[in-house]
Amino acid sequence: MELLVAYEKDPAGHNIARFISQELEKNDSLYRGKYFDLAIISSPTISADWLEDKFDYDGYIFLSKHAAESGVLALTCHNTGNFSDAKFGGSSRQVSIPHSHIQKTYIQNLWNARSKFSEFQITIEATHHGPTALNKPALFIEIGTTEKEWNDTNLCNSVGQIIVDAMKEQKKCYPTAICFGGTHYPEKFTNELIHGKHSLGTVIPKHALEHIDQSLFSHIIERNVGATVALLDWNSMGKHKQKILELLEKTDLEVIKL
């Protein structure tokens, strides 16, 4: 069973959680349900590496606000991890275990309901921030991009319902790909998640490829249990393309250029 997690002072996360909690039963510090449980915590979700000390679940889905300097309205989701220094939770040079299949189900359901969200960009983000140390899969689902959207009850309720529906669906398995290249909002990888056959593990954007050495690469492979493919945004890998290719040659991953 999965645990949904929201920070009580995160307006978007708390609003989504409040909607979802309506069909769950409160039991001590948890809201319990048939398909998943829900916890509202008193500290930021990006620093929730402690979560498994208190809660033992098969995976963790974090409900959160999304902020961007561009101000572009976006509904996003992403796996977590740091490729260099840990500036926003988690540990340096550590990535989480991706929640690949639930991410794909959620983003496809969100895309299918896109007429409700016509003002919003539906996109994944590259892997970033904490928590990073959990021993079960982790995924962030976010509403952006300003306080207006975070406090829009109807918007949060609509996203909350899509999350509930995704959690209730029979879990499907897809071939999982580790992704290299692209921007922080990687269009090619988002399109693959929505329309393609792969689910996505760790997504390493172009600007982070400089930090990938053998040690970090091996750690990423280890955390992406079951991944069989490396997806490369071929024209957006920069000067580190050859280094990544040489690292991939030592693995059994099928390399696919997008």
Side-chain angles (χ1 to χ4, degrees), residues 43 76 80 119 137 193 213 221:
S43 57
T76 77
T80 63
E119 297 179 1
L193 198 60
D213 55 17
I221 296 295

Side-chain angles (χ1 to χ4, degrees), residues 35-258:
Y35 299 95
F36 56 86
D37 291 347
L38 167 69
I40 299 176
I41 61 176
S42 58
S43 57
T45 48
I46 62 172
S47 301
D49 292 277
W50 56 267
L51 208 58
E52 287 175 314
D53 295 336
K54 186 172 182 179
F55 303 113
D56 182 17
Y57 284 84
D58 296 325
Y60 302 91
I61 293 95
F62 298 94
L63 315 175
S64 176
K65 67 182 182 182
H66 168 73
E69 292 181 1
S70 67
V72 173
L73 300 186
L75 301 176
T76 77
C77 61
H78 66 88
N79 296 303
T80 63
N82 297 309
F83 303 113
S84 56
D85 295 339
K87 297 179 180 178
F88 301 100
S91 298
S92 299
R93 292 173 59 83
Q94 183 180 53
V95 301
S96 68
I97 299 172
H99 223 326
S100 309
H101 304 316
I102 285 183
Q103 182 190 41
K104 189 173 181 74
T105 298
Y106 169 72
I107 202 77
Q108 286 183 329
N109 288 2
L110 187 62
W111 178 257
N112 291 338
R114 63 190 180 279
S115 61
K116 296 180 182 179
F117 311 108
S118 58
E119 297 179 1
F120 291 81
Q121 180 184 11
I122 294 174
T123 180
I124 64 165
E125 294 177 80
T127 297
H128 67 299
H129 71 59
T132 60
L134 299 173
N135 293 307
K136 297 292 176 61
L139 175 69
F140 262 68
I141 292 176
E142 304 182 0
I143 288 178
T145 298
T146 71
E147 290 189 15
K148 177 183 177 182
E149 288 73 44
W150 305 339
N151 290 289
D152 185 333
T153 302
N154 289 333
L155 172 62
C156 292
N157 291 356
S158 295
V159 171
Q161 187 60 58
I162 291 173
I163 294 169
V164 169
D165 292 342
M167 299 303 295
K168 288 182 176 180
E169 278 190 35
Q170 184 176 355
K171 300 299 181 287
K172 301 174 184 176
C173 288
Y174 307 89
T176 301
I178 306 172
C179 301
F180 298 86
T183 66
H184 183 75
Y185 301 97
E187 183 177 353
K188 288 183 178 179
F189 299 142
T190 296
N191 287 338
E192 177 63 29
L193 198 60
I194 294 172
H195 304 295
K197 69 177 183 178
H198 297 99
S199 63
L200 304 184
T202 301
V203 178
I204 309 151
K206 176 182 177 180
H207 68 261
L209 294 179
E210 66 177 300
H211 303 297
I212 306 300
D213 55 17
Q214 183 62 62
S215 175
L216 181 54
F217 182 81
S218 297
H219 166 69
I220 292 169
I221 296 295
E222 181 181 327
R223 295 292 261 175
N224 284 262
V225 178
T228 57
V229 172
L231 290 180
L232 277 52
D233 187 337
W234 190 245
N235 292 323
S236 184
M237 293 184 67
K239 62 183 179 181
H240 300 286
K241 181 185 293 185
Q242 187 58 37
K243 175 184 70 173
I244 299 302
L245 289 174
E246 290 173 2
L247 289 168
L248 288 170
E249 284 178 0
K250 303 172 186 177
T251 74
D252 294 326
L253 296 175
E254 177 189 1
V255 175
I256 298 176
K257 303 172 185 177
L258 297 180

